[in-house]
């Protein structure tokens, strides 16, 4: 008789995904724990979707204390789990002085949360599809229904300008202090995305899942615009089209999130 | 103690694909159940082949009642199973008033089935390879033997024209009502495919498997034409070539279907 | 104690690849069986490497009877196994009159084997990287050390010329008879590859593994030449370079074959 | 009866990655064994990241005897394990006269280690993203923060010049002797990367993990520069930017290494 006894724990390890004993836990009733869970999931999703590499990061503002936010310690987002999440103040210091080392570029998050009370989540990417726009100064614009959240021209942060008064040996590319973070937040303005020349992008929004959606469709839009510009002059979305379409699609964010979650779980590298 | 016996059912979950006990069920003898099975499979195949994202949808007309068709509720096609299929009338209302929420863009399907008695299946994609053609107005044309079903120039639906008489706040990109669906169906005409600017495409045909084949090879043809146009002037298929070739290849659709099915099963995210 | 008993057969199904009980059988001592095994493996490899789709095919001449060759019945190469292999004569008829249905384009193989006594294997692809060259008439040339087997200009088969005397309804794209096969073989000449406009390519050589190597590196070379031509004028290999390099790399074919075999086994869809 | 007990060892084979009993061994306390382990891991990582094919190779200088280095025998890097590693002298001969056959292009490694006392590791790639730069003579330059280690213009090795005095039949593309290796090392100069026309690149550095990082981000930078050049004139990093950024990112190499390691283990083809 061909049979084997496997405990649920073992089967889960084998199947990763399909085992009934591996059903998702219900989301936490603690609003901050729920946000932390989403930070972890978003880190896995965005790696799996090719938006984050070893170096990008995802954060969410605390629901209980809007002057705090949660982000992973300095590590690849693909591998983040609960123990890696650090609570950070808007002064960019961890609440727990014994917290593990944070990303050098945490100032992106602090200064954006400071400048934008409406922002509940920030994602910093090294998205390869948007970088050519920053390198050439070609404006990234909305070309696709799902990218209707983009402004008529996505702003571009030129770190060289922000670094002009730094000593020569500090004129790097990274956002390693509050001054550069403020300059980035200023360039972002009231919008959803700012490109960073030679570096990537920063994406923000009123919920973490919205920001994940925006990060993915900024990338898809960038790829489409690049391809289309090589074929001929491009028809961009009108402002009416962006507003009306985003109102509709904005209600469907969980639909995409749920698929990306399934895909990320299937190819998970965490654990 | 949580334990599982490695029966065939469990092994199927583990191996996804290779287990002899996981042989496909014979197709249903009920013609509508057979069509529903194909809608589910096509949803998985087209996600796996990169044609559908979280938002596209597949439908098939009822074999028993040509005024009805079957399509999944509003959800990612990759995850569709039998319980998600809704029977819909040509008035675009579910037959069962308690049916789960449908896709807002179901009017694509209703209005095409109304206008085209010959159409047995409709697929709406956000196919990234065809969108640049719609964005630039460059005509998509047949370049490949397997894409010989394409007309000399694939028509392009400009939603802006169809929206001209809408109030400003309703001039979006999506086909959310019968008027827009009718305009799309009119642009499709008697053909197999219509492009949708900034949005994707709609593909139709006389059987679901034919439409899946057409959706995949529209995408392959679009990629090839894009690449070729960057190299130099392109030789397109003559009408003779499209007709003669499609007559031959049209008999081979199940061959591709069977491979795509195997590949989709192997990487399934459903269940 | 966490343990489970699994028979080798079951473990093989689970692990696909790593189980010691799934060690490869030694190659057959019958030279034709060894060639048939390579036809099967090559069919899987070339699908996995993205060279073959549902419709391409691989064949090998019989070692015992050079007027016969082996090719799979009409089916996706990814799924071919021993039972699918048919012995075919140079008249393009199966040796066994009860053999399963063959590919319509088997004339590619018959006519090339007839014209080229040196050829031991033929592969017909719908390789997407080479098709843009055929569509534009841009000459595919050797740009890469591993593609040094390519002639200074790869010939292009224009089926339209070969079809000129056919009745209008038969002027398709496919090589469905001996006349078209002869025209293709003539265009191939003494070389390793011929492109087919709007269709793909045919690759030949003195051993099946050599032809697999050539098929893969024709594709890689095509991709590189396409990218390079967009950057600026391209330096092609000199004839000296192609000869000297191919002499060296020609001895290393099994090295690539073995890696591709491992990769194909890991992602196998057969069985 | 062939049976296997699902011990940790067997489960590791099944799950590849997630099993707690599959924790990595601690790195060897023998510095040369630690370097050899990194050569093996780097070979797997760089295949998985698409930088190495069947033919590239990775080496590391001996920590104990700087006139020796370790590299795999002639085989696909994806499949390398401990038994395949050969200790080689700077005369390009294996220390053990019974060592298995080495790569013909081992002279790349020997001559670079001879010329560059600072170099602790050498990687030779056939990286498809950089080859178009070599084919066209377009200079590869730093465009991305993570590629700040690149010089203002990456040098290009033209084997044709180095081969000018060879007999005609030896004017190939490969670096098969010390003379060609010396010419390559001379073109590399004091830098981190040299491109090789129609062939690939050679990447060096002060530690193996640094060289892996450089190989990956040379590829990423090449892809970005290619895309950007098609959109418009490109802003490259200033020298200040490359220096300041590389000082920061240079401390983060293990972060990327760890992720690539996890990904490579998950999709491992070795064993």
């Amino acid at each position: 008789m061909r049979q084997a006894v496997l405990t649920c724990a073992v089967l889960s390890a084998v199947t990763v995904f399909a085992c009934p004993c591996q059903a998702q836990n219900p989301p936490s009733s603690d609003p901050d724990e729920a946000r932390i869970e989403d930070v972890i999931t978003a880190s896995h999703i965005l790696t799996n979707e090719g938006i984050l590499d070893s170096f990008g990061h995802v954060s969410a503002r605390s629901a209980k204390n809007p002057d705090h936010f949660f982000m992973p310690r300095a590590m690849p987002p693909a591998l983040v789990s609960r123990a890696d999440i650090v609570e950070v103040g808007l002064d960019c210091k961890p609440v727990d002085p014994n917290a593990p080392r944070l990303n050098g570029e945490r100032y992106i998050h602090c200064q954006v949360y400071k400048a934008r009370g409406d922002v509940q989540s920030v994602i910093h990417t090294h998205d390869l599809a948007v970088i050519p726009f920053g390198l050439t100064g070609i404006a990234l614009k909305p070309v696709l229904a799902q990218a209707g959240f983009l402004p008529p021209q996505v702003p571009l942060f030129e770190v060289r300008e922000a670094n002009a008064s730094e000593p020569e040996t500090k004129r790097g590319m990274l956002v390693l202090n509050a001054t550069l973070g403020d300059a980035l937040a200023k360039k972002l303005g009231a919008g959803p995305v700012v490109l960073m020349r030679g570096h990537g992008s920063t994406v923000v929004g009123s919920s973490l899942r919205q920001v994940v959606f925006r990060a993915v469709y900024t990338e898809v839009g960038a790829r489409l615009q690049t391809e289309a510009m090589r074929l001929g002059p491009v028809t961009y979305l009108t402002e009416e089209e962006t507003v009306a379409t985003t109102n509709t699609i904005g209600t469907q964010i969980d639909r995409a999130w749920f698929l990306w979650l399934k895909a990320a779980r299937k190819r998970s590298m965490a654990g």
Side-chain angles (χ1 to χ4, degrees), chain A:
Chain A
M1 180 180 161
R2 296 215 309 181
Q3 269 199 350
V5 176
L6 291 176
T7 64
C8 268
V10 172
L11 246 193
S12 296
V14 177
T15 61
V16 175
F17 181 81
C19 177
C21 54
Q22 200 189 20
Q24 258 190 274
N25 297 326
S28 175
S29 60
D30 177 317
D32 276 354
E33 280 303 319
R35 289 188 176 204
I36 287 167
E37 282 167 20
D38 273 3
V39 167
I40 297 165
T41 302
S43 300
H44 300 173
I45 282 175
L46 290 170
T47 309
N48 191 48
E49 297 296 324
I51 310 296
L52 292 185
D53 57 359
S54 313
F55 295 113
H57 19 89
V58 174
S59 73
R61 199 189 282 269
S62 165
K64 298 179 188 168
N65 179 352
D67 288 347
H68 287 187
F69 65 92
F70 302 100
M71 78 181 294
R73 65 182 177 88
M75 67 179 294
L79 308 177
V80 168
S81 63
R82 181 64 188 87
D84 302 307
I85 303 297
V86 180
E87 186 167 355
V88 186
L90 292 193
D91 58 357
C92 246
K93 288 184 184 147
V95 172
D96 176 353
N98 300 316
R101 198 170 70 77
L102 285 165
N103 289 287
E105 293 202 296
R106 64 191 174 278
Y107 296 94
I108 294 172
H109 302 255
C110 309
Q111 306 317 109
V112 167
Y113 285 123
K114 250 189 203 162
R116 290 275 301 271
D118 61 311
V119 164
Q120 299 299 317
S121 174
V122 175
I123 297 176
H124 171 54
T125 84
H126 301 151
D127 177 351
L128 299 185
V130 305
I131 291 176
F133 288 86
L135 290 174
T136 55
I138 301 287
L140 182 68
K141 301 179 181 185
V143 294
L144 181 71
Q146 284 92 340
F149 59 85
L150 290 176
Q153 301 214 8
V154 178
L156 170 60
F157 174 67
E158 173 48 273
V159 69
R160 205 172 286 173
E161 293 166 12
N163 266 330
S165 59
E166 289 286 317
E168 214 168 82
T169 56
K170 299 247 174 165
R171 292 185 201 154
M173 305 287 291
L174 308 183
V175 178
L176 297 173
N177 57 52
T179 308
L180 291 173
D182 285 338
L184 178 72
K186 194 174 165 191
K187 186 61 83 178
L188 169 66
V193 189
V194 58
L195 305 189
M196 304 161 80
R197 193 262 308 158
H199 189 163
S201 70
T202 295
V203 190
V204 307
S206 59
S207 79
L208 185 139
R209 294 184 188 190
Q210 184 197 53
V211 186
V212 167
F213 187 90
R214 287 175 169 181
V216 171
Y217 279 104
T218 299
E219 196 263 355
V220 172
R223 284 199 280 143
L224 286 172
Q225 185 178 343
T226 305
E227 290 292 314
M229 287 178 76
R230 289 180 194 146
L231 281 181
V234 176
T235 302
Y236 298 97
L237 269 62
T238 62
E239 207 179 322
E240 288 166 4
E241 285 171 345
T242 61
V243 172
T245 300
T246 303
N247 285 344
T248 307
I249 293 178
T251 65
Q252 304 295 312
I253 284 173
D254 275 355
R255 176 166 168 176
W257 169 271
F258 189 57
L259 179 65
W260 294 330
L261 170 69
K262 286 277 221 172
R265 290 262 162 90
K266 188 154 191 207
R267 282 165 269 178
S268 170
M269 283 181 292

